[in-house]
Amino acid sequence: MKRILPVFFIFSVFITGSYWSAYSNVGSIIYFYNPETNINNFATLKTAFDTYLVNHGGYYFQPFDSRENFEAVIKEKKGDIYLLSSWHLKALQQKNVPLKIALVGTSKGNTMQRKVLSTKKDIADVTMLKNTVVAGAGSEEYIHSVLKQILGKEQEALLKDIKILIVPKDIDAIMAVGFGMASAAISAESGLDKLAMINPNQFRELHSLGFSEKDYLLVAATLKKPEQQEAELLEVLRKMSEADAGGENLKLLGIDGWRAMQ
């Protein structure tokens, strides 16, 4: 079930299209959609970023919980900044959408991550996942694609017999295995590190059946070479971690900084 965005103007962007006229006299806008996470409170996210960005150049932040609406914005706009997962970026590039990465999110100095398929030790190999539940944070499409990559062509047929349980965060997916709500979990390696700290006993009960390829964390992309306003906004983003308020906002996106692409 999709969440309803609790944002004061959200209905105009989804229904009437009058959103554009509402922002006709403001600076560049950051559009955000990430199928790898489930954000519970879009109002908090938008308010936090708008408050920060307005004070750093008159910019605004627009989050989406719908892939279709986010992609519709990209098709209609020629400027501005788009925050999205590298998985989604690749999918759009395959459709000949000319998005190019300007900034890459960082977490503890890393710009890349890989996903892990974790189970309790009584599940010895992936063939035992038939007719089981796999928990993960993000959209079902995204989790399905990660599973497909991890399982490989040899075990791809298993996908039709696996149910997906959507949870808010990576740690929830892993905990779901411990509590018996799921047989396996898809999470970033950092999620397992977190479990090892908060519940080492549960962590020791798990083992890894497979890993995805490494990919970038959240990216900031543009449709064309940034003009002055977009370039200035990218610089505001890049420097967010230098301010306490900016750093707290980045945590809402699951990162702690930005690194410019060379």
Side-chain angles (χ1 to χ4, degrees):
M1 181 181 295
K2 291 183 178 179
R3 296 178 296 276
I4 298 174
L5 299 191
V7 183
F8 73 94
F9 56 81
I10 203 65
F11 296 106
S12 62
V13 67
F14 286 169
I15 300 173
T16 69
S18 62
Y19 166 82
W20 306 126
S21 60
Y23 273 157
S24 60
N25 296 318
V26 302
S28 294
I29 303 167
I30 297 174
Y31 299 101
F32 168 79
Y33 171 71
N34 189 357
E36 298 184 24
T37 61
N38 288 316
I39 293 174
N40 293 322
N41 196 327
F42 279 86
T44 297
L45 180 65
K46 176 170 173 55
T47 299
F49 268 83
D50 276 354
T51 300
Y52 185 86
L53 293 169
V54 166
N55 292 326
H56 287 77
Y59 307 109
Y60 286 86
F61 183 84
Q62 176 57 60
F64 288 87
D65 74 341
S66 163
R67 176 174 177 173
E68 292 78 14
N69 288 323
F70 177 77
E71 292 184 1
V73 169
I74 295 175
K75 291 177 182 177
E76 292 183 23
K77 298 290 285 183
K78 296 182 179 179
D80 299 318
I81 310 299
Y82 305 92
L83 305 189
L84 67 165
S85 74
S86 54
W87 172 82
H88 192 187
L89 177 78
K90 290 177 180 177
L92 288 169
Q93 289 174 334
Q94 289 174 356
K95 298 178 183 178
N96 296 317
V97 178
L99 282 169
K100 293 186 177 180
I101 300 175
L103 300 173
V104 178
T106 63
S107 178
K108 297 181 179 179
N110 298 314
T111 59
M112 306 192 83
Q113 65 176 354
R114 63 177 179 173
K115 298 291 184 174
V116 188
L117 177 62
S118 303
T119 68
K120 285 194 173 182
K121 294 177 181 178
D122 58 346
I123 297 181
D125 58 69
V126 295
T127 61
M128 298 177 69
L129 292 176
K130 186 173 182 178
N131 299 321
T132 63
V133 175
V134 176
S139 71
E140 186 167 340
E141 181 185 9
Y142 170 71
I143 296 167
H144 192 274
S145 71
V146 173
L147 265 175
K148 183 177 179 180
Q149 184 185 123
I150 293 175
L151 294 177
K153 290 190 177 296
E154 299 82 4
Q155 303 297 336
E156 189 174 323
L158 282 173
L159 290 171
K160 69 181 187 331
D161 299 314
I162 293 175
K163 293 183 179 180
I164 305 297
L165 172 65
I166 303 298
V167 297
K169 299 178 181 179
D170 274 0
I171 190 66
D172 300 315
I174 306 167
M175 296 288 280
V177 177
F179 292 132
M181 298 170 62
S183 298
I186 292 289
S187 72
E189 289 178 294
S190 58
L192 290 170
D193 293 339
K194 184 175 182 179
L195 180 66
M197 289 189 293
I198 65 175
N199 195 328
N201 290 332
Q202 192 174 93
F203 174 76
R204 283 192 289 269
E205 293 178 357
L206 300 176
H207 72 136
S208 301
L209 288 186
F211 300 86
S212 72
E213 297 174 359
K214 280 194 173 184
D215 219 335
Y216 286 125
L217 298 167
L218 189 71
V219 300
T222 61
L223 284 168
K224 57 184 178 59
K225 184 177 180 180
E227 296 179 358
Q228 181 177 347
Q229 193 172 69
E230 285 87 42
E232 290 173 353
L233 177 51
L234 285 169
E235 187 63 8
V236 170
L237 273 179
R238 190 185 67 80
K239 292 182 176 180
M240 282 188 74
S241 60
E242 298 175 8
D244 290 342
E248 289 301 313
N249 288 353
L250 291 178
K251 289 180 182 178
L252 297 175
L253 301 181
I255 58 177
D256 57 25
W258 293 102
R259 187 174 298 171
M261 289 292 284
Q262 301 299 323

